[in-house]
Amino acid sequence: NAGVTQTPKFQVLKTGQSMTLQCAQDMNHEYMSWYRQDPGMGLRLIHYSVGAGITDQGEVPNGYNVSRSTTEDFPLRLLSAAPSQTSVYFCASRTGVAGGASRRKDGTGELFFGEGSRLTVL
Amino acid sequence: ILNVEQSPQSLHVQEGDSTNFTCSFPSSNFYALHWYRWETAKSPEALFVMTLNGDEKKKGRISATLNTKEGYSYLYIKGSQPEDSATYLCASIYNQGGKLIFGQGTELSVKP
Protein backbone atom coordinates (compact mmCIF):
# COMPACT_ATOMS: atom_id res chain seq x y z
CA ASN A 1 0.00 0.00 0.00
CA ALA A 2 2.02 2.96 -1.26
CA GLY A 3 -0.73 5.59 -0.78
CA VAL A 4 0.77 9.07 -1.13
CA THR A 5 4.52 9.20 -1.74
CA GLN A 6 6.56 12.38 -1.41
CA THR A 7 10.19 12.91 -2.33
CA PRO A 8 12.63 14.06 -1.15
CA LYS A 9 12.07 13.79 2.61
CA PHE A 10 14.77 16.35 3.37
CA GLN A 11 16.33 19.08 1.26
CA VAL A 12 18.63 22.03 1.91
CA LEU A 13 18.71 24.81 -0.66
CA LYS A 14 20.50 28.11 -1.03
CA THR A 15 18.50 31.26 -1.65
CA GLY A 16 17.66 31.57 -5.34
CA GLN A 17 17.96 27.88 -6.17
CA SER A 18 15.08 26.02 -7.72
CA MET A 19 13.74 22.59 -6.92
CA THR A 20 10.72 20.34 -7.32
CA LEU A 21 8.98 18.38 -4.61
CA GLN A 22 7.45 15.25 -6.08
CA CYS A 23 4.11 13.77 -5.04
CA ALA A 24 2.52 10.62 -6.38
CA GLN A 25 -0.57 8.71 -5.32
CA ASP A 26 -1.76 5.30 -6.44
CA MET A 27 -5.37 5.52 -5.19
CA ASN A 28 -6.83 7.11 -8.34
CA HIS A 29 -7.75 10.19 -6.33
CA GLU A 30 -8.91 13.16 -8.34
CA TYR A 31 -8.14 15.76 -5.70
CA MET A 32 -4.51 16.49 -4.81
CA SER A 33 -3.09 19.33 -2.79
CA TRP A 34 0.04 20.79 -1.21
CA TYR A 35 0.21 22.26 2.28
CA ARG A 36 2.97 23.82 4.28
CA GLN A 37 3.28 23.47 8.03
CA ASP A 38 4.78 26.25 10.08
CA PRO A 39 4.86 26.49 13.90
CA GLY A 40 1.60 27.79 15.34
CA MET A 41 -0.05 28.03 11.92
CA GLY A 42 -1.44 24.57 11.30
CA LEU A 43 -1.53 23.52 7.66
CA ARG A 44 -1.83 26.22 5.01
CA LEU A 45 -2.98 25.34 1.51
CA ILE A 46 -0.52 26.26 -1.27
CA HIS A 47 -2.14 24.86 -4.42
CA TYR A 48 -4.65 22.17 -5.22
CA SER A 49 -6.02 20.25 -8.17
CA VAL A 50 -9.38 18.60 -8.79
CA GLY A 51 -8.22 16.58 -11.77
CA ALA A 52 -5.61 16.24 -14.49
CA GLY A 53 -5.08 19.56 -16.23
CA ILE A 54 -6.85 21.57 -13.50
CA THR A 55 -5.04 23.50 -10.78
CA ASP A 56 -5.96 26.39 -8.53
CA GLN A 57 -4.39 28.56 -5.86
CA GLY A 58 -4.79 28.06 -2.15
CA GLU A 59 -4.05 30.41 0.75
CA VAL A 60 -0.32 30.92 0.20
CA PRO A 61 0.50 30.31 -3.51
CA ASN A 62 3.19 32.94 -4.06
CA GLY A 63 6.59 31.52 -4.94
CA TYR A 64 5.22 28.10 -5.90
CA ASN A 65 4.09 26.55 -9.18
CA VAL A 66 2.21 23.32 -9.79
CA SER A 67 1.02 21.27 -12.73
CA ARG A 68 -1.15 18.16 -13.03
CA SER A 69 -0.46 16.30 -16.24
CA THR A 70 -1.59 12.92 -14.87
CA THR A 71 -4.02 11.76 -12.19
CA GLU A 72 -1.17 10.23 -10.19
CA ASP A 73 1.38 13.07 -9.98
CA PHE A 74 1.26 16.59 -8.58
CA PRO A 75 4.74 18.18 -8.35
CA LEU A 76 5.37 21.42 -6.48
CA ARG A 77 8.02 23.73 -7.93
CA LEU A 78 9.98 26.41 -6.14
CA LEU A 79 11.43 28.59 -8.90
CA SER A 80 13.67 30.79 -6.73
CA ALA A 81 13.80 29.60 -3.15
CA ALA A 82 13.65 32.12 -0.30
CA PRO A 83 14.32 31.62 3.43
CA SER A 84 10.59 32.26 4.06
CA GLN A 85 9.92 28.98 2.24
CA THR A 86 11.71 26.99 4.95
CA SER A 87 8.96 24.68 6.12
CA VAL A 88 7.60 21.15 6.16
CA TYR A 89 5.54 20.41 3.07
CA PHE A 90 2.75 17.86 2.90
CA CYS A 91 1.07 16.47 -0.18
CA ALA A 92 -2.44 15.10 0.32
CA SER A 93 -5.05 13.50 -1.90
CA ARG A 94 -8.65 12.44 -1.56
CA THR A 95 -11.44 10.67 -3.36
CA GLY A 96 -13.64 12.06 -6.05
CA VAL A 97 -14.78 15.61 -6.18
CA ALA A 98 -18.52 15.91 -6.63
CA GLY A 99 -19.29 15.63 -10.31
CA GLY A 100 -15.78 14.49 -11.14
CA ALA A 101 -14.69 11.55 -13.24
CA SER A 102 -15.08 9.07 -10.39
CA ARG A 103 -18.77 10.01 -10.20
CA ARG A 104 -18.87 10.09 -6.45
CA LYS A 105 -21.78 12.21 -5.42
CA ASP A 106 -20.59 13.73 -2.22
CA GLY A 107 -17.11 15.18 -2.79
CA THR A 108 -16.39 14.87 0.90
CA GLY A 109 -13.69 12.16 1.04
CA GLU A 110 -11.03 12.38 3.72
CA LEU A 111 -7.49 13.46 2.92
CA PHE A 112 -4.62 10.97 2.79
CA PHE A 113 -1.26 12.57 3.51
CA GLY A 114 2.28 11.86 2.43
CA GLU A 115 5.03 11.66 5.04
CA GLY A 116 6.16 15.23 4.56
CA SER A 117 9.22 16.92 3.08
CA ARG A 118 11.38 19.14 5.28
CA LEU A 119 12.87 21.99 3.27
CA THR A 120 15.48 24.41 4.58
CA VAL A 121 16.47 27.47 2.56
CA LEU A 122 19.68 29.13 3.66
CA ILE B 1 -10.42 33.14 2.05
CA LEU B 2 -12.29 30.83 4.39
CA ASN B 3 -11.33 31.42 8.03
CA VAL B 4 -11.33 28.32 10.21
CA GLU B 5 -10.55 28.92 13.88
CA GLN B 6 -9.75 26.40 16.59
CA SER B 7 -9.62 26.84 20.34
CA PRO B 8 -7.87 26.44 22.59
CA GLN B 9 -4.47 26.49 20.91
CA SER B 10 -3.11 24.03 23.47
CA LEU B 11 -4.46 21.99 26.32
CA HIS B 12 -2.76 20.09 29.13
CA VAL B 13 -4.84 17.52 31.01
CA GLN B 14 -4.31 14.63 33.38
CA GLU B 15 -4.91 11.03 32.41
CA GLY B 16 -8.60 10.22 32.90
CA ASP B 17 -9.83 13.77 32.33
CA SER B 18 -12.43 14.39 29.66
CA THR B 19 -11.83 17.31 27.34
CA ASN B 20 -13.24 19.10 24.34
CA PHE B 21 -12.10 21.52 21.67
CA THR B 22 -13.91 23.87 19.33
CA CYS B 23 -13.69 24.46 15.59
CA SER B 24 -15.43 27.54 14.16
CA PHE B 25 -16.02 28.10 10.46
CA PRO B 26 -18.13 30.37 8.24
CA SER B 27 -21.57 28.80 7.93
CA SER B 28 -22.33 30.19 4.46
CA ASN B 29 -21.52 27.81 1.61
CA PHE B 30 -20.63 25.09 4.14
CA TYR B 31 -20.18 21.71 2.53
CA ALA B 32 -18.29 19.41 4.91
CA LEU B 33 -16.09 19.42 7.99
CA HIS B 34 -13.17 17.12 8.67
CA TRP B 35 -11.34 16.31 11.91
CA TYR B 36 -7.79 14.97 11.83
CA ARG B 37 -5.42 13.66 14.49
CA TRP B 38 -1.74 14.50 14.03
CA GLU B 39 0.87 12.77 16.13
CA THR B 40 4.41 14.12 16.35
CA ALA B 41 6.68 12.91 13.53
CA LYS B 42 3.74 11.39 11.67
CA SER B 43 1.26 12.59 9.08
CA PRO B 44 -2.30 13.68 9.88
CA GLU B 45 -4.92 10.94 9.85
CA ALA B 46 -8.66 11.45 9.43
CA LEU B 47 -10.95 10.98 12.41
CA PHE B 48 -14.33 12.15 11.11
CA VAL B 49 -16.00 13.60 8.03
CA MET B 50 -19.23 15.41 8.85
CA THR B 51 -21.73 17.03 6.54
CA LEU B 52 -25.17 17.39 8.10
CA ASN B 53 -26.35 19.82 10.75
CA GLY B 54 -26.72 17.91 14.01
CA ASP B 55 -24.35 15.16 12.88
CA GLU B 56 -22.69 13.22 15.67
CA LYS B 57 -19.80 10.83 15.02
CA LYS B 58 -18.01 8.53 17.45
CA LYS B 59 -14.84 6.47 17.33
CA GLY B 60 -13.99 4.79 20.61
CA ARG B 61 -13.56 7.50 23.25
CA ILE B 62 -13.56 10.31 20.70
CA SER B 63 -16.72 11.91 19.40
CA ALA B 64 -17.66 15.00 17.44
CA THR B 65 -20.74 17.13 16.84
CA LEU B 66 -21.58 19.58 14.09
CA ASN B 67 -23.71 22.73 13.99
CA THR B 68 -23.71 24.09 10.44
CA LYS B 69 -26.19 26.88 11.12
CA GLU B 70 -24.00 28.60 13.69
CA GLY B 71 -20.72 27.36 12.20
CA TYR B 72 -19.05 25.25 14.87
CA SER B 73 -18.00 21.71 15.66
CA TYR B 74 -16.90 20.19 18.96
CA LEU B 75 -14.49 17.31 19.41
CA TYR B 76 -14.77 15.41 22.70
CA ILE B 77 -12.34 12.97 24.25
CA LYS B 78 -13.66 10.95 27.16
CA GLY B 79 -11.18 9.67 29.75
CA SER B 80 -8.03 11.02 28.06
CA GLN B 81 -5.04 8.70 27.83
CA PRO B 82 -1.37 9.61 27.21
CA GLU B 83 -1.67 8.08 23.74
CA ASP B 84 -4.30 10.72 22.91
CA SER B 85 -1.54 13.34 23.00
CA ALA B 86 -1.49 14.87 19.53
CA THR B 87 -2.55 17.93 17.57
CA TYR B 88 -6.17 17.84 16.50
CA LEU B 89 -6.99 19.67 13.30
CA CYS B 90 -10.30 20.59 11.75
CA ALA B 91 -10.77 21.54 8.11
CA SER B 92 -13.73 22.95 6.25
CA ILE B 93 -14.78 22.40 2.65
CA TYR B 94 -16.79 25.37 1.64
CA ASN B 95 -18.23 24.31 -1.69
CA GLN B 96 -18.27 21.39 -4.08
CA GLY B 97 -14.97 22.60 -5.55
CA GLY B 98 -13.50 20.76 -2.64
CA LYS B 99 -10.49 22.65 -1.29
CA LEU B 100 -9.90 22.02 2.41
CA ILE B 101 -8.89 24.90 4.64
CA PHE B 102 -7.46 23.93 8.03
CA GLY B 103 -7.61 25.63 11.38
CA GLN B 104 -4.43 26.18 13.40
CA GLY B 105 -5.00 23.04 15.45
CA THR B 106 -5.36 22.25 19.16
CA GLU B 107 -2.31 20.61 20.74
CA LEU B 108 -3.36 18.17 23.44
CA SER B 109 -0.95 16.86 26.04
CA VAL B 110 -2.16 14.14 28.43
CA LYS B 111 0.03 13.51 31.48
CA PRO B 112 0.03 10.11 33.18
Side-chain angles (χ1 to χ4, degrees):
Chain A
N1 286 347
V4 180
T5 303
Q6 286 181 237
T7 56
K9 287 189 169 46
F10 301 95
Q11 182 74 48
V12 178
L13 291 177
K14 294 181 180 178
T15 296
Q17 286 185 316
S18 63
M19 77 156 300
T20 299
L21 295 174
Q22 301 290 346
C23 177
Q25 52 90 12
D26 61 359
M27 298 174 280
N28 202 32
H29 286 170
E30 291 167 338
Y31 179 98
M32 296 187 74
S33 54
W34 279 101
Y35 290 89
R36 58 178 290 173
Q37 179 219 350
D38 300 295
M41 304 189 79
L43 292 169
R44 291 185 292 168
L45 181 65
I46 304 171
H47 286 284
Y48 69 104
S49 168
V50 297
I54 306 169
T55 64
D56 205 347
Q57 295 182 349
E59 301 168 278
V60 288
N62 292 341
Y64 306 95
N65 280 356
V66 292
S67 59
R68 184 95 180 270
S69 55
T70 66
T71 300
E72 294 78 19
D73 300 299
F74 191 46
L76 179 72
R77 296 183 185 86
L78 285 71
L79 297 179
S80 179
S84 60
Q85 293 177 306
T86 294
S87 189
V88 180
Y89 292 85
F90 286 92
C91 179
S93 70
R94 68 185 185 91
T95 54
V97 175
S102 72
R103 301 187 185 183
R104 278 179 65 96
K105 303 281 187 202
D106 59 14
T108 60
E110 67 201 67
L111 282 174
F112 291 82
F113 285 84
E115 293 184 340
S117 299
R118 183 175 292 277
L119 175 66
T120 301
V121 183
L122 302 175
Chain B
I1 295 291
L2 190 69
N3 209 27
V4 180
E5 301 283 344
Q6 289 187 248
S7 62
Q9 191 170 0
S10 64
L11 199 53
H12 300 268
V13 302
Q14 292 294 130
E15 182 175 356
D17 288 349
S18 293
T19 187
N20 65 86
F21 335 125
T22 304
C23 174
S24 302
F25 53 88
S27 55
S28 60
N29 294 322
F30 171 82
Y31 193 69
L33 187 91
H34 291 199
W35 280 100
Y36 291 82
R37 171 190 160 87
W38 193 2
E39 292 182 73
T40 303
K42 294 187 178 180
S43 301
E45 292 185 346
L47 285 171
F48 305 115
V49 174
M50 308 174 78
T51 57
L52 299 175
N53 186 46
D55 240 358
E56 290 189 31
K57 301 270 186 177
K58 188 174 181 182
K59 185 180 289 189
R61 293 179 292 99
I62 304 176
S63 60
T65 61
L66 178 67
N67 183 321
T68 63
K69 294 184 178 179
E70 297 182 37
Y72 64 83
S73 175
Y74 294 137
L75 187 79
Y76 300 92
I77 302 179
K78 185 178 178 182
S80 302
Q81 300 296 311
E83 57 265 30
D84 295 329
S85 296
T87 296
Y88 292 83
L89 296 165
C90 69
S92 182
I93 305 175
Y94 77 102
N95 61 26
Q96 290 191 6
K99 71 179 177 182
L100 278 86
I101 300 296
F102 281 86
Q104 317 94 305
T106 294
E107 186 177 356
L108 174 67
S109 173
V110 183
K111 293 188 177 180

